[in-house]
Amino acid sequence: MESIEFLGTGGTRTPSQGTTCLRVSDHCVIDAGNLINTFGDDIFTIEHIFLTHSHLDHIIDIPFLADLFVTQKSISLKIYGLKATLDDLRQFIFNHRVWPNFEEITLIGHTDKTIELIELDLEVPYAIDDITLTPFKTNHTEGSCGYIIEQNSSALLFTADTYKCDRIWELLNERPNIHTLITEVSFPSSFAKLAYDSKHLTPSLLAEELQKCKRDDFTLCVMHLKALFMGTIIEELNTLQLLRNGGKVLIDGDRINYT
Ligand SMILES: [Zn+2]
Ligand SMILES: [Zn+2]
């Protein structure tokens, strides 16, 4: 694929907006906030899901995907994440209470299990289709990570949900081939306490964080806005002039080219 497709960009589910979900290659997505409603009949082409963390808005379609795949697929759906994220899926979702344990249930007519959970190592590149994904630690949950998404020599950095996090800015400073930063702003700046408690960014926190960055040549896009505060957040982003170099507030269906 020549571009990343943003299937879900909301910080909340609304009738017109899904939650975090990026199609990064033919068979691979990052997060599963909005797969079922966007893929249609192509849903069975999904083979790899790389998770940023286990919050519900990022994993919500995985149980339904497993339910579809068990009778239709011949190889396991591979789900990647840091250890704490995979532990959460096992303990709280696929536990035979909230949902069947599809890690143990075999695909009908085949030997593979329905899902396979694969633990990621931080800062190691994973090659899938024609791209590589490199997870790095973020400051959101115990198992949270963002990804450097790379095709040929050109890269984008996707933080997913995070609070202040030095590693993001170190990576941007270290790697001039990152041409686009996609980060989050969930709340207006007046919600600083809620942002800290829930480990999210606001426009003024993002402005503070940008002080750590030695570059000004990358495009900055944001997503994960809480729908109730969309107007206020966008006003603040504009006042602080944060959406630099053609950046924007992403909406469902947007695409960003790899090069
Ligand atoms: Zn989260
Ligand atoms: Zn989220």
Side-chain angles (χ1 to χ4, degrees), residues 191-233:
F191 284 76
K193 170 83 166 69
L194 180 58
Y196 173 77
D197 289 341
S198 60
K199 293 285 184 284
H200 284 296
L201 292 172
T202 66
S204 60
L205 287 168
L206 178 57
E208 270 177 45
E209 283 291 274
L210 276 164
Q211 306 293 323
K212 299 174 186 169
C213 191
K214 298 189 182 96
R215 294 174 52 191
D216 60 4
D217 60 339
F218 57 90
T219 302
L220 197 160
C221 293
V222 297
M223 54 183 278
H224 206 276
L225 282 67
K226 297 289 179 186
L228 285 174
F229 308 109
M230 190 90 85
T232 314
I233 296 172

Side-chain angles (χ1 to χ4, degrees), residues 52-58 140-141 144 160-162 184 198-200 224:
T52 61
H53 63 300
S54 55
H55 278 164
L56 205 55
D57 54 321
H58 299 252
H140 182 63
T141 66
S144 70
D161 297 9
T162 188
E184 69 126 295
S198 60
K199 293 285 184 284
H200 284 296
H224 206 276

Side-chain angles (χ1 to χ4, degrees), residues 170-183:
E170 287 166 11
L171 286 166
L172 268 165
N173 290 336
E174 283 166 14
R175 298 185 188 216
N177 69 327
I178 296 172
H179 60 75
T180 303
L181 167 68
I182 302 130
T183 190

